């Protein structure tokens, strides 16, 4: 879950005008590009929410709809509702992290450096998704075991 924090923090810092891991010139260029900082902030927020959903794969609230989802609260979450998107994201994150390794430059570490941790997040998400699927799969129709 914490592997997303460096990415999230850099995007939030840039939005508020702090050149964390980038040059002042690059920050100025982003500020001059319409909606670029807002998109970066949105990506940071989505990344944070994604890490919370990753936690849901190992927590009780990942099996039963919470109270704030009023139209489904208390009902069991169908395993595919979590497994399909989580599996897709896990598969996408690992190559994204590998691309960040390839594009890493020490002088502007804030651009690709935090994304290197996507490999860790992708692997952890893949394992959590697989274990979630095993835990929720139910009884085998052939042998009667779980």
């Amino acid at each position: 879950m914490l592997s997303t924090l460096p990415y999230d923090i850099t995007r939030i810092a840039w939005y508020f005008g702090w050149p964390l891991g980038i040059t002042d010139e690059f920050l100025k260029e982003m500020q001059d590009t319409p909606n670029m900082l807002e998109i970066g902030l949105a990506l940071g927020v989505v990344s944070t929410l994604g890490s919370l959903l990753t936690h849901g794969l190992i927590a009780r609230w990942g099996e039963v709809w919470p109270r704030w989802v009023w139209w489904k609260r208390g009902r069991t979450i169908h395993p595919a509702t979590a497994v399909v998107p989580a599996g897709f994201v896990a598969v996408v994150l690992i190559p994204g992290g590998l691309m960040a390794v390839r594009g890493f430059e020490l002088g502007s570490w804030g651009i690709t450096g935090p994304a290197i941790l996507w490999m860790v997040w992708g692997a952890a998400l893949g394992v959590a998704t697989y274990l979630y699927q095993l835990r929720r799969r139910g009884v085998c129709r052939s042998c009667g075991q779980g």
Side-chain angles (χ1 to χ4, degrees):
M1 257 180 58
L2 298 177
S3 63
T4 66
L5 280 180
Y7 180 84
D8 305 340
I9 291 169
T10 55
R11 275 44 184 185
I12 292 167
W14 298 347
Y15 180 78
F16 288 108
W18 303 317
L20 183 61
I22 58 173
T23 63
D24 291 331
E25 295 79 26
F26 188 66
L27 179 61
K28 177 73 171 121
E29 186 178 323
M30 286 195 298
Q31 290 169 333
D32 293 342
T33 304
N35 300 318
M36 188 167 207
L37 293 174
E38 290 79 7
I39 291 170
L41 178 63
L43 289 172
V45 169
V46 167
S47 173
T48 300
L49 293 174
S51 71
L52 292 173
L53 291 176
T54 299
H55 180 66
L57 293 170
I58 59 172
R60 164 125 172 86
W61 61 265
E63 296 181 16
V64 177
W65 289 101
R67 286 180 294 221
W68 50 269
V69 183
W70 55 269
W71 64 95
K72 290 205 175 223
R73 85 174 123 212
R75 292 191 209 163
T76 301
I77 296 173
H78 190 281
T81 303
V83 170
V84 172
F88 175 77
V89 171
V91 168
V92 170
L93 283 173
I94 293 172
L98 290 170
M99 287 175 27
V101 169
R102 188 170 181 192
F104 181 76
E105 294 179 20
L106 194 56
S108 56
W109 63 265
I111 298 170
T112 57
I116 291 171
L117 294 174
W118 289 352
M119 291 183 297
V120 175
W121 184 20
L125 180 58
V127 169
T129 303
Y130 178 67
L131 294 175
Y132 179 88
Q133 189 274 331
L134 286 178
R135 188 173 74 244
R136 301 286 315 279
R137 68 180 169 185
V139 177
C140 175
R141 293 180 187 175
S142 300
C143 66
Q145 296 182 7

